């Protein structure tokens, strides 16, 4: 594995390292910022602030791919990271033991989230440009493994120390962001803009229109949205349902619904971390297309039981199966995306693909809204049915996509 990492392009290695550092230290803080806002503002005001932050990120996500294609990916990445580092430094300063100004913290959260929305499509496009079809599955498997590892340990540390050592965590996060900025400036190699010409709204719309003419890419986005909406139900509807109705005694210990919801996420993360290093070997044996289909066949049906069941052992077993399926489909799904996108509009493709994750978040919220009207069984049928439509889209696409 180390020899494979050393053989990767320097830009890919820099992205893998900086992504891990950013996620690890970021997960000590970011998951708890909604709680932070409710400490100083009313729930309604805090919710409005979060809505503003999300809306700003969506707008920047729409522009980011265009800007990366016009001005060059490295330039956009550096400027976005500089904005993020500055925002985090100010956030730490205004949450010091001397004074705390929550309104400034909100403004810095807005700037930081906008910077991330600017950075990610350019960085994802750079990985595709500087990788080959032969090593992309390995790259995405390593990135997915590192992401889950950073989430697991970062969130654990943040959960233990966020309330009492908030200033120290903000300071640590800003310093880590500065280190990431240095690594990017020092080691990323420059790239020329993939498009030239007038930089105006008309060109922006023409670029997005050209991408949307790629029928296979649009079908891929629809498939991703429908299949990944299942995971959004775990974060939203399943957690709420378990908190209200789940209770079990296992080996003499009582487990509440909230504890069960946490256990599901922990089990999923652990399995992903452990299995991600094994799956690339299995993928080589089976082939990428067969591995992807195997992952979908494991992932989608398992969610019927995750969404509908209140039995401890059924939930644990279903999460185990779904997590193994997830390890197959996430990295290979990114490999498919790389094959579907063209180099001259790579940033635009990545920006449009980013809307999938915001779309799944909306479907997750819809699941909570439907909970008061429909039973868990009917909701399980509905969401698994939608995901099955996504499976059908993949069956249509796979013969048309070049995979190993």
């Amino acid at each position: 594995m180390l020899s494979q990492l050393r053989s990767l392009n320097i830009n890919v290695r820099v992205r893998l390292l900086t992504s891990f550092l950013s996620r690890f230290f970021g997960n000590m803080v970011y998951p708890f910022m909604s709680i932070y806002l409710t400490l100083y503002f009313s729930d309604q005001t805090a919710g409005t602030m979060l809505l503003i932050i999300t809306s700003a990120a969506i707008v920047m996500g729409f522009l980011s791919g265009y800007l990366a294609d016009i001005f060059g990916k490295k330039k956009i990445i550096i400027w976005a990271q500089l904005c993020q580092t500055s925002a985090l430094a100010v956030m730490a300063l205004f949450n010091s033991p001397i004074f705390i100004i929550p309104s400034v913290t909100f403004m810095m959260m807005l700037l930081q989230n906008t910077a991330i929305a600017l950075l990610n499509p350019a960085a994802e496009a750079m990985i595709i440009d500087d990788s080959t079809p032969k090593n992309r599955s390995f790259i995405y498997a390593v990135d997915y493994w590192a992401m889950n590892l950073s989430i697991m340990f970062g969130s654990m540390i943040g959960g233990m120390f966020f309330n009492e050592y908030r200033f120290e965590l903000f300071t640590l996060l800003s310093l880590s962001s500065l280190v990431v900025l240095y690594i990017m400036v020092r080691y990323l190699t420059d790239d020329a803009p993939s498009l030239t010409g007038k930089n105006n709204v008309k060109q922006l719309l023409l670029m997005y229109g050209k991408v949307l003419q790629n029928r296979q890419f649009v079908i891929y986005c629809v498939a991703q949205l429908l299949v990944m909406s299942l995971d959004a139900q775990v974060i939203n509807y399943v957690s709420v349902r378990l908190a209200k109705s789940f209770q079990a005694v296992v080996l003499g210990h009582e487990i509440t619904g909230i504890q069960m919801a946490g256990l599901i996420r922990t089990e999923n993360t652990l399995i992903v971390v452990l299995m991600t290093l094994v799956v690339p070997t299995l993928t080589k044996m089976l082939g990428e297309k067969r591995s992807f289909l195997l992952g979908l066949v494991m992932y989608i049906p398992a969610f019927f039981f995750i969404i509908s069941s209140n039995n401890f052992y059924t939930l644990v077993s279903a999460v185990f199966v779904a997590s193994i399926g997830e390890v197959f489909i996430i990295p290979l799904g990114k490999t498919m995306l790389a094959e579907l996108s063209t180099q001259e509009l790579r940033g635009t493709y990545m920006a449009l693909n980013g809307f999938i994750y915001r779309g799944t978040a909306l479907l997750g919220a819809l699941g909570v809204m439907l909970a008061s009207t429909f039973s868990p069984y009917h909701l399980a049928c509905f969401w698994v049915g939608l995901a099955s439509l996504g499976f059908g889209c993949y069956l249509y696409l796979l013969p048309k996509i070049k995979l190993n």
Side-chain angles (χ1 to χ4, degrees):
M1 180 177 175
L2 289 176
S3 61
Q4 284 180 284
L5 285 171
R6 292 193 192 99
S7 68
L8 298 176
N9 182 283
I10 183 64
N11 285 345
V12 175
R13 284 182 280 158
V14 168
R15 174 57 180 167
L16 290 174
L17 174 61
T18 55
S19 179
F20 174 78
L21 292 175
S22 297
R23 288 164 175 164
F24 174 67
F25 290 101
N27 274 285
M28 297 181 189
V29 172
Y30 300 146
F32 309 99
M33 290 310 295
S34 57
I35 299 173
Y36 173 94
L37 292 177
T38 59
L39 292 175
Y40 297 100
F41 303 98
S42 67
D43 289 351
Q44 185 176 6
T45 302
T48 303
M49 287 176 165
L50 292 172
L51 182 62
I52 292 171
I53 291 170
T54 303
S55 301
I58 290 174
V59 173
M60 181 54 71
F62 181 74
L63 296 172
S64 58
Y66 165 76
L67 295 174
D69 289 333
I70 291 294
F71 297 107
K73 300 171 189 67
K74 179 180 178 179
K75 186 177 292 185
I76 294 299
I77 289 170
I78 297 300
W79 277 107
Q81 185 63 30
L82 178 61
C83 290
Q84 180 177 210
T85 302
S86 303
L88 293 172
V90 173
M91 192 184 298
L93 177 64
F94 283 85
N95 285 275
S96 69
I98 302 173
F99 56 86
I100 297 176
I101 305 181
S103 57
V104 175
T105 302
F106 159 69
M107 289 187 285
M108 293 304 103
M109 287 175 63
L110 180 63
L111 176 59
Q112 185 269 332
N113 276 269
T114 305
I116 285 291
L118 175 63
L119 185 151
N120 281 340
E124 290 169 9
M126 181 174 279
I127 282 185
I128 296 175
D129 287 344
D130 295 320
S131 62
T132 66
K134 289 185 177 181
N135 63 21
R136 274 185 197 131
S137 293
F138 170 75
I139 291 169
Y140 289 131
V142 171
D143 183 53
Y144 192 58
W145 174 79
M147 178 187 73
N148 281 277
L149 194 69
S150 63
I151 290 173
M152 182 172 65
F153 288 109
S155 299
M156 190 184 303
I157 294 170
M160 290 189 291
F161 297 110
F162 187 80
N163 281 336
E164 296 182 8
Y165 297 95
R166 198 174 301 145
F167 169 67
E168 288 79 3
L169 288 179
F170 284 153
T171 302
L172 186 62
L173 178 57
S174 61
L175 291 175
S176 70
S177 184
L178 183 62
V179 171
V180 167
L181 177 62
Y182 169 77
I183 294 172
M184 288 176 169
V185 172
R186 176 71 176 80
Y187 294 105
L188 280 180
T189 57
D190 212 347
D191 64 308
S194 56
L195 292 175
T196 56
K198 295 181 180 179
N199 307 327
N200 53 38
V201 175
K202 182 178 179 181
Q203 187 181 18
L204 169 66
L205 296 176
L206 285 173
M207 288 168 62
Y208 277 102
K210 189 174 181 179
V211 170
L212 291 173
Q213 288 174 5
N214 185 338
R215 183 183 175 189
Q216 293 180 7
F217 173 73
V218 173
I219 294 173
Y220 166 84
C221 289
V222 172
Q224 278 283 92
L225 177 65
L226 296 178
V227 172
M228 299 317 298
S229 66
L230 293 174
D231 187 64
Q233 302 313 309
V234 176
I235 299 170
N236 294 275
Y237 166 71
V238 173
S239 296
V240 172
R241 179 180 66 78
L242 291 175
K244 291 181 177 180
S245 62
F246 181 88
Q247 193 170 13
V249 177
V250 180
L251 300 177
H253 297 281
E254 183 177 337
I255 299 178
T256 66
I258 294 176
Q259 290 172 331
M260 190 65 206
L263 179 62
I264 285 175
R265 300 305 295 179
T266 303
E267 180 190 0
N268 171 256
T269 305
L270 283 173
I271 292 171
V272 168
V273 168
L274 293 173
M275 289 297 298
T276 300
L277 300 179
V278 178
V279 164
T281 303
L282 297 175
T283 300
K284 284 184 179 180
M285 293 171 56
L286 297 172
E288 290 182 340
K289 291 185 179 181
R290 288 182 181 177
S291 298
F292 188 74
L293 289 174
L294 174 62
L296 289 173
V297 169
M298 298 177 72
Y299 186 78
I300 295 174
F303 267 91
F304 178 86
F305 300 100
I306 295 173
I307 295 172
S308 63
S309 178
N310 259 353
N311 181 276
F312 174 83
Y313 297 101
T314 300
L315 285 168
V316 169
S317 300
V319 170
F320 178 81
V321 173
S323 299
I324 295 176
E326 179 183 335
V327 177
F328 280 106
I329 64 176
I330 298 298
L332 291 176
K334 290 187 176 182
T335 303
M336 291 173 63
L337 173 63
E339 290 296 323
L340 289 168
S341 59
T342 58
Q343 185 171 1
E344 71 273 10
L345 292 173
R346 194 85 77 191
T348 308
Y349 273 97
M350 296 306 107
L352 275 175
N353 182 66
F355 284 102
I356 292 174
Y357 300 101
R358 297 181 181 94
T360 58
L362 293 175
L363 290 177
L366 177 62
V368 176
M369 294 170 61
L370 295 174
S372 60
T373 307
F374 299 97
S375 70
Y377 172 80
H378 289 107
L379 286 175
C381 291
F382 175 72
W383 293 113
V384 171
L386 281 183
S388 298
L389 292 177
F391 180 76
C393 292
Y394 281 127
L395 286 178
Y396 170 81
L397 277 180
L398 281 173
K400 306 175 187 301
I401 299 176
K402 184 181 178 181
L403 292 176
N404 296 325

